[in-house]
């Protein structure tokens, strides 16, 4: 995925904020902080290449929080501060997917694969015995999520469910820093779209989470997949944020 940010400009802005060299009105300061934090979220969560320390990120985040407290009328729904809320979810609402989600079939032996290959040849109306080239890749193993964007903003997130309907988990998915709260689909004439993906916990992050849980006296997780799936359905989004999805 192409980096949509002006890296040089936003990195310089970051240093201006951190070194107290920023020049601009309070409103400009707030808007620039939003852009700067979105950029660093991208570098950290999408490119896995952070340019500033966690401490520096937290400093910028607190600056933005303070300005938003002073000017609540200027809070952007896509602001990084709006990812984690204190809303507790008693029951998850079931929602209809825009289009059904199909399932992948398992294969356990060569006979299964040959049968699949025959089906592909038939579907493509090729001659029997034709050679078909396949691309194979590892599958990320976590919890499937379905995102709906309207007018460039994330408006809903849901679990896979039964493929037709899933549980709404918007508050929890917003805590995942690699999920954009807004995206410029309108540039391509798209006003509404549905994206599917896998919410995962990286192995190195999983080790850190279990170490923290052991230190705090909590039960450690058995594997990253179950921890990720369970994290999506936490009733408190702040607990989801602690899963490092």
């Amino acid at each position: 995925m192409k980096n949509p940010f002006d890296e040089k400009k936003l990195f310089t802005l970051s240093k201006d904020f951190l070194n107290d060299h920023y020049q601009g009105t309070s409103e400009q300061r707030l808007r620039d902080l939003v852009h700067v934090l979105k950029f660093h979220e991208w570098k950290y969560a999408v490119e896995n290449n952070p340019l500033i320390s966690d401490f520096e990120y937290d400093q910028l985040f607190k600056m933005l929080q303070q300005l938003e407290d002073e000017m609540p009328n200027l809070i952007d729904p896509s602001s990084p501060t709006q990812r984690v809320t204190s809303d507790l979810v008693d029951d998850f609402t079931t929602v209809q997917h825009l289009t059904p989600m199909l399932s992948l079939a398992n294969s356990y032996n060569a006979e299964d694969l040959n049968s699949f290959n025959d089906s592909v040849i038939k579907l493509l109306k090729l001659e029997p015995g034709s050679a078909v080239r396949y691309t194979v890749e590892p599958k990320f193993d976590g919890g499937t999520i379905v995102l709906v964007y309207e007018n460039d903003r994330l408006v809903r997130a849901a679990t896979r469910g039964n493929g037709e309907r899933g549980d709404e988990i918007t508050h929890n998915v917003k805590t995942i820093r690699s999920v954009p709260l807004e995206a410029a689909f309108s540039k391509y004439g798209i006003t509404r779209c549905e994206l599917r993906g896998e919410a995962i916990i990286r192995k190195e992050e999983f080790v850190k989470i279990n170490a923290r849980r052991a230190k705090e006296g909590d039960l450690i997780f058995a594997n990253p997949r179950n921890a990720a799936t369970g994290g999506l359905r936490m009733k408190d989004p702040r607990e989801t944020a602690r899963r490092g999805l």
Side-chain angles (χ1 to χ4, degrees):
M1 191 182 296
K2 185 179 179 182
N3 188 326
F5 298 98
D6 184 337
E7 291 206 19
K8 185 176 181 180
K9 176 183 177 181
L10 291 171
F11 181 73
T12 300
L13 263 179
S14 304
K15 292 303 180 182
D16 285 345
F17 280 121
L18 292 168
N19 296 322
D20 200 23
H21 293 159
Y22 181 84
Q23 300 294 321
T25 65
S26 294
E27 291 186 13
Q28 290 172 332
R29 186 183 183 90
L30 187 151
R31 294 191 179 95
D32 281 344
L33 275 168
V34 168
H35 292 314
V36 163
L37 285 165
K38 286 181 179 179
F39 165 63
H40 288 298
E41 283 186 342
W42 177 280
K43 296 298 293 183
Y44 176 87
V46 178
E47 294 189 347
N48 195 27
N49 182 31
L51 298 180
I52 59 176
S53 67
D54 289 347
F55 175 73
E56 289 173 319
Y57 178 91
D58 289 343
Q59 283 185 295
L60 294 170
F61 193 89
K62 289 175 182 176
M63 290 180 196
L64 178 58
Q65 280 184 316
Q66 182 177 343
L67 285 170
E68 289 180 339
D69 287 343
E70 295 170 359
M71 299 177 287
N73 58 307
L74 294 181
I75 296 178
D76 187 327
S78 68
S79 167
T81 63
Q82 303 305 297
R83 286 192 179 277
V84 183
T85 71
S86 59
D87 297 341
L88 296 178
V89 182
D90 292 327
D91 295 300
F92 292 97
T93 303
T94 302
V95 294
Q96 186 85 25
H97 298 315
L98 301 188
T99 52
M101 296 190 69
L102 303 179
S103 298
L104 295 173
N106 292 325
S107 174
Y108 299 101
N109 51 51
E111 185 179 346
D112 289 341
L113 294 176
N114 287 329
S115 176
F116 174 77
N117 185 66
D118 291 340
S119 298
V120 170
I121 289 174
K122 184 178 180 180
L123 178 67
L124 297 177
K125 299 179 179 179
L126 301 175
E127 290 294 324
S130 296
V132 179
R133 180 178 295 177
Y134 295 93
T135 297
V136 182
E137 63 182 15
K139 176 184 180 296
F140 284 116
D141 203 13
T144 299
I145 56 175
V146 185
L147 311 178
V148 176
Y149 287 82
E150 291 182 353
N151 299 319
D152 292 347
R153 293 190 182 278
L154 175 66
V155 296
R156 193 180 80 191
T159 62
R160 183 189 185 282
N162 63 7
E164 298 277 348
R165 298 167 66 83
D167 290 336
E168 183 177 357
I169 51 171
T170 309
H171 286 305
N172 289 345
V173 167
K174 281 184 174 181
T175 71
I176 304 174
R177 286 164 61 179
S178 55
V179 173
L181 301 181
E182 62 178 355
F185 293 110
S186 58
K187 287 172 56 178
Y188 307 98
I190 300 171
T191 58
R192 191 185 196 202
C193 70
E194 185 176 58
L195 306 181
R196 283 84 179 271
E198 199 84 357
I200 63 170
I201 298 176
R202 296 181 182 276
K203 289 182 177 179
E204 62 271 20
E205 187 67 23
F206 181 68
V207 171
K208 294 177 184 177
I209 291 171
N210 266 346
R212 184 186 70 221
R213 290 180 68 84
K215 184 177 180 181
E216 295 174 353
D218 294 328
L219 290 175
I220 63 172
F221 295 124
N223 57 68
R225 182 187 186 280
N226 289 355
T229 302
L232 290 172
R233 299 181 58 80
M234 301 296 293
K235 291 189 176 182
D236 187 342
R238 291 170 295 188
E239 288 302 313
T240 301
R242 285 168 59 84
R243 295 286 175 101
L245 291 164

